[in-house]
Amino acid sequence: MLKDLVRSFIRENSLIPKGSLVVSAFSGGADSLLMTLLLKELQEELSFELCLVHVNHHIRGAAADSDADFAKEFAKKEGLFLTVLDVDPVEYSRTHSGVSIEEAARILRFEAIGKEISSRREDRAVSVAVAHHIEDLAETVLFRLIRGTGPRGFGGMRAEAYLHTGSGEIRLIRPLLNLKRDAIEEALRDHPYTPRVDETNSDEALSRNRLRKSVLPQLRIINDRAVEHIALASEKIFEASDFVDSEAVKLLEKRDGRLLRSDLDDSHPALSKALIRAYLKRELPSVRDVSEAQIAAILKSARGGLSPGKRTDLPGGFFAITSYEEVMINKTGETPEKGLKGRIEVSFIKGDEALSFARDPALIPRERYTKFFDYDRISGGAIETRTMEEGDFMVIDPSGNRALLRRVFIDKKVPKEERGSIPLLTSGKRVLWAAGVRDSCDARITGDTRVILKAEYKRGE
């Protein structure tokens, strides 16, 4: 029985903790319909609470509204709590350069779900169940292979994954990932519900549909276990990729988030590319559309001996550019404004808010014109706001290495005539922050921080 297979898969992968809340991402299609029915059957046995969320993307007009009505009727008959969320991916795609409607739908779907579940946690674990199965995994691996991907892309889908949204982290679980599509469709014949059908899934002009309807059947003719073998290869590649990526993250953290050209030069090519991917993940709103060719171009531009200033265009209007020491991400038009003038205002954060930042630095907002420092680590605690003076320097890495501010401005491509107007936050000759350009690696917040200095750039004379 599928129920037994799903129960075993959930237990083997520790997908549903006791006493937790499981939010079923319910589209009304065959996969999500069976997943929800099976989770309901297992709810009491595995001791968790189940509710539903349906996202209406409004892309298919009346058909999308009919799907939402089906979700409401299903939830009512099954006695399950349902929330319907409305998003507008068409408008999002129109106002966000380089983001397709499909990508916008994915972003908004999980942003909306993240916001919804953030109000329902109640000090318990919350998981969002999505109904991907083994053919979905195989299709994803093949699609990424054809489009161009790195080792992690070959890793396909995992039974458990974490997704970062504006409302916090979402834990995704895939209880059906070891099931085949035909087994799901066969099982639904014993239930009274007719699953919803998205007519766009039959359009073979779409690459994913062509893979599903034409390519996978041909692969099964060559080997009837082709899908399972793709899934197994995906698991092996993921394990190797996960190790390399973890090493890259460690090195990037050691460098305080900076992507140094020396590290790219000295590392094995696999680690160098993993470093670039990890850095892009930190700096870009989405890395889904970054190609392996772009990663290779960044790596090539950063090799030793090449002059700085090499630029690699990236999705969304961003670009990577090399300085003398590192690779940096900028957005088109996001250079220090000509004649930048204004002032830096400082304030202090203490108590519980400071302690929460100290415990988890990831909570600290990453903004161009607001920076945070450990006040007790500033030499003598004396601070000043001013413009550049002879002898100013900045600590440029966690090891305490320094560079003259003039050199920092050169690396950041700040025109010579504009350097004297950039507002600075300083302690003596030590520059903590050149507004709009970069901040120092000195006085960063750590687990021991108790008082935080918050610096904000205010425009104007």
Side-chain angles (χ1 to χ4, degrees):
M1 288 180 61
L2 290 192
K3 178 181 175 181
D4 297 327
L5 291 174
V6 171
R7 181 199 297 111
S8 297
F9 189 75
I10 289 172
R11 285 177 168 164
E12 288 169 7
N13 293 278
S14 304
L15 295 186
I16 303 180
K18 275 189 175 182
S20 66
L21 172 66
V22 175
V23 180
S24 173
F26 186 81
S27 68
D31 307 333
S32 69
L33 179 58
L34 181 69
M35 178 185 72
T36 303
L37 290 168
L38 290 175
L39 287 174
K40 186 187 176 189
E41 290 183 34
L42 293 168
Q43 184 177 0
E44 184 176 350
E45 180 183 348
L46 299 181
S47 303
F48 65 91
E49 181 184 349
L50 177 66
C51 70
L52 278 61
V53 62
H54 176 85
V55 180
N56 188 345
H57 300 93
H58 295 280
I59 297 175
R60 296 181 296 117
D65 294 336
S66 181
D67 290 347
D69 291 338
F70 174 82
K72 294 173 185 176
E73 186 64 24
F74 171 82
K76 182 178 179 181
K77 287 182 179 179
E78 294 295 326
L80 295 169
F81 180 81
L82 166 74
T83 301
V84 176
L85 304 172
D86 295 280
V87 298
D88 188 353
V90 175
E91 175 65 15
Y92 186 94
S93 175
R94 187 183 69 80
T95 57
H96 291 73
S97 175
V99 179
S100 67
I101 293 177
E102 182 182 22
E103 173 70 0
R106 189 196 70 84
I107 293 171
L108 293 179
R109 177 167 63 251
F110 287 110
E111 286 289 343
I113 292 174
K115 185 176 181 180
E116 171 64 21
I117 67 175
S118 66
S119 63
R120 297 175 56 80
R121 292 187 186 279
E122 301 171 3
D123 295 323
R124 59 180 168 172
V126 180
S127 305
V128 176
V130 290
H132 296 128
H133 46 70
I134 195 168
E135 275 96 349
D136 288 323
L137 189 160
E139 289 166 15
T140 298
V141 172
L142 290 175
F143 184 73
R144 291 175 179 173
L145 172 63
I146 294 166
R147 189 181 63 174
T149 188
R152 181 161 288 273
F154 286 116
M157 301 170 175
R158 319 301 337 142
E160 175 189 35
Y162 289 87
L163 184 67
H164 295 280
T165 73
S167 300
E169 191 173 64
I170 294 178
R171 178 177 183 261
L172 295 179
I173 60 173
R174 297 183 171 98
L176 307 189
L177 198 56
N178 64 334
L179 301 186
K180 292 184 178 181
R181 180 181 287 113
D182 57 1
I184 292 172
E185 293 172 350
E186 176 68 27
L188 277 176
R189 292 173 188 164
D190 297 330
H191 291 281
Y193 299 104
T194 301
R196 302 294 297 174
V197 176
D198 183 346
E199 64 275 8
T200 62
N201 288 338
S202 300
D203 183 3
E204 290 198 42
L206 301 176
S207 300
R208 292 292 292 247
N209 295 343
R210 195 177 303 119
L211 280 171
R212 180 184 309 117
K213 300 177 75 66
S214 299
V215 176
L216 281 180
Q218 290 297 316
L219 292 178
R220 285 196 181 95
I221 293 174
I222 298 172
N223 188 313
D224 61 359
R225 297 199 64 208
V227 168
E228 292 92 323
H229 291 164
I230 293 172
L232 182 60
S234 168
E235 181 67 31
K236 293 177 179 178
I237 294 171
F238 178 82
E239 289 174 354
S241 173
D242 193 50
F243 171 75
V244 176
D245 287 349
S246 66
E247 293 299 302
V249 169
K250 289 177 186 176
L251 181 54
L252 202 61
E253 289 176 349
K254 186 178 179 181
R255 302 294 190 243
D256 202 35
R258 298 175 67 211
L259 183 59
L260 300 183
R261 294 178 67 177
S262 58
D263 286 336
L264 296 176
D265 243 352
D266 297 341
S267 301
H268 186 280
L271 181 57
S272 295
K273 291 178 181 178
L275 272 170
I276 294 171
R277 285 191 292 269
Y279 179 70
L280 295 180
K281 187 175 181 181
R282 290 169 60 113
E283 300 296 326
L284 297 179
S286 173
V287 295
R288 290 173 64 87
D289 293 327
V290 176
S291 69
E292 278 298 294
Q294 288 168 319
I295 290 174
I298 294 172
L299 182 59
K300 182 179 179 181
S301 71
R303 289 299 189 192
L306 294 179
S307 300
K310 302 295 183 183
R311 169 174 167 158
T312 303
D313 290 327
L314 299 168
F318 291 88
F319 61 90
I321 190 165
T322 58
S323 71
Y324 288 93
E325 296 179 338
E326 62 187 299
V327 176
M328 299 166 290
I329 299 297
N330 286 323
K331 189 172 176 63
T332 302
E334 222 182 51
T335 55
E337 297 106 90
K338 186 173 181 179
L340 179 69
K341 294 181 180 179
R343 65 190 185 279
I344 294 176
E345 294 183 356
V346 298
S347 58
F348 295 92
I349 300 174
K350 303 178 182 179
D352 291 341
E353 187 178 2
L355 289 174
S356 66
F357 282 170
R359 284 193 296 265
D360 186 3
L363 296 174
I364 301 171
R366 295 173 61 85
E367 300 176 8
R368 189 178 185 191
Y369 292 113
T370 303
K371 300 297 176 183
F372 300 82
F373 303 92
D374 185 333
Y375 178 69
D376 294 325
R377 294 177 62 201
I378 298 174
S379 301
I383 57 172
E384 181 183 8
T385 59
R386 56 174 175 81
T387 53
M388 185 170 65
E389 295 177 355
E390 187 65 31
D392 284 342
F393 67 90
M394 183 177 284
V395 176
I396 59 172
D397 62 39
S399 299
N401 292 316
R402 303 176 175 185
L404 288 173
L405 183 61
R406 175 177 55 81
R407 172 53 63 187
V408 173
F409 282 154
I410 291 172
D411 287 349
K412 290 292 188 178
K413 306 299 180 184
V414 179
K416 185 176 182 179
E417 64 273 13
E418 297 176 11
R419 298 169 193 168
S421 65
I422 304 292
L424 307 177
L425 178 70
T426 66
S427 174
K429 290 295 184 182
R430 185 186 303 261
V431 178
L432 297 169
W433 180 34
V437 181
R438 73 158 288 178
D439 55 327
S440 167
C441 293
D442 201 16
R444 290 291 171 89
I445 294 171
T446 70
D448 297 323
T449 297
R450 294 297 177 266
V451 179
I452 294 174
L453 172 69
K454 178 182 179 181
E456 296 180 274
Y457 169 74
K458 303 291 185 180
R459 298 176 187 273
E461 296 295 331

